[in-house]
Amino acid sequence: DAGVTQSPTHLIKTRGQQVTLRCSPKSGHDTVSWYQQALGQGPQFIFQYYEEEERQRGNFPDRFSGHQFPNYSSELNVNALLLGDSALYLCASSSWYRGRVMSGYTFGSGTRLTVV
Amino acid sequence: DQQVKQNSPSLSVQEGRISILNCDYTNSMFDYFLWYKKYPAEGPTFLISISSIKDKNEDGRFTVFLNKSAKHLSLHIVPSQPGDSAVYFCAALAPPRPLVFGKGTRLSVIA
């Protein structure tokens, strides 16, 4: 049973470019959350998708956008990349039940984005 | 404003001894707490959790203690093994808000 898979694993982009990161959730999970982990920091919540809608959003600019597909997979898009966007981007999947995300967050290995 | 704080960035412990990792939180609405372990080049892996209605949860070598009045939790690892060397993140849930993480503590277990 595959866990959460993310692609690509590493990516180098130039300032001003746009990037798309992809995530396939664990089998049986329907909710996808994206986190940014800068060096030496804990993961910071970007946004969360359930039923193809953004349900919650953290304190990130609207250069960060996302999408969830009918098969529950998700994409994170970042436009107009800045040097400060360099980080590990983590995808976590979970199950939604009665309006709350269950505690079983499963994380992927992440995408290491470097902006030069 | 950081709602989950891990004030020790690093900890070194000898193999076989106890490792104690600490975590403080400020949001009294948190009702579930989790510890994640992270190796380099991997995502965080769930380790152990505790509900706010309990004060202790044990799983093998790992025990988490919760002191609600002090808004403090700790993870005990006994005995510590070299394979436990990793970054440990404390995280908390206040539904319907998403999981909130601390900055992590790097544990080094020395053989």
Side-chain angles (χ1 to χ4, degrees):
Chain A
D1 176 29
V4 178
T5 57
Q6 291 187 243
S7 63
T9 54
H10 294 84
L11 204 50
I12 300 176
K13 289 286 189 178
T14 305
R15 273 180 301 177
Q17 285 189 313
Q18 178 263 344
V19 68
T20 298
L21 311 181
R22 295 176 177 81
C23 172
S24 292
K26 180 179 177 179
S27 177
H29 284 178
D30 55 14
T31 302
V32 173
S33 304
W34 286 92
Y35 285 80
Q36 180 196 65
Q37 187 183 6
L39 202 61
Q41 301 294 314
Q44 296 292 312
F45 175 71
I46 303 175
F47 42 55
Q48 181 182 83
Y49 278 84
Y50 170 67
E51 289 189 332
E52 302 178 49
E53 288 188 17
E54 183 183 291
R55 298 289 174 165
Q56 299 192 70
R57 188 178 184 93
N59 190 24
F60 278 79
D62 57 12
R63 297 186 297 108
F64 290 77
S65 63
H67 189 77
Q68 186 179 35
F69 299 93
N71 67 353
Y72 309 121
S73 66
S74 177
E75 289 182 349
L76 163 66
N77 300 291
V78 187
N79 294 323
L81 283 167
L82 303 174
L83 295 179
D85 295 332
S86 296
L88 179 68
Y89 288 84
L90 295 163
C91 170
S93 73
S94 54
S95 296
W96 188 279
Y97 179 69
R98 291 185 180 175
R100 70 166 283 177
V101 174
M102 299 302 287
S103 58
Y105 279 65
T106 302
F107 283 84
S109 295
T111 295
R112 172 73 62 187
L113 172 65
T114 302
V115 182
V116 297
Chain B
D1 177 33
Q2 196 159 11
Q3 299 183 66
V4 177
K5 300 176 185 178
Q6 293 178 258
N7 292 320
S8 298
S10 62
L11 176 68
S12 288
V13 173
Q14 282 216 305
E15 181 180 5
R17 307 294 288 265
I18 183 171
S19 295
I20 300 176
L21 294 93
N22 293 303
C23 177
D24 297 296
Y25 62 95
T26 57
N27 186 348
S28 58
M29 299 302 292
F30 287 141
D31 71 354
Y32 206 83
F33 302 89
L34 306 90
W35 285 93
Y36 282 83
K37 177 179 179 180
K38 186 178 183 303
Y39 293 116
E42 293 184 13
T45 303
F46 170 73
L47 196 57
I48 192 170
S49 63
I50 188 167
S51 164
S52 60
I53 62 172
K54 295 187 175 182
D55 56 16
K56 177 182 174 181
N57 188 26
E58 213 168 338
D59 184 3
R61 297 186 298 114
F62 303 91
T63 303
V64 56
F65 295 91
L66 175 62
N67 182 334
K68 282 185 66 178
S69 60
K71 293 192 175 67
H72 177 83
L73 62 155
S74 60
L75 174 67
H76 292 209
I77 306 173
V78 185
S80 301
Q81 299 174 353
D84 295 330
S85 297
V87 177
Y88 289 78
F89 290 101
C90 172
L93 269 173
R97 297 298 300 161
L99 202 55
V100 178
F101 285 86
K103 290 187 176 183
T105 296
R106 181 177 301 278
L107 174 65
S108 299
V109 181
I110 305 159

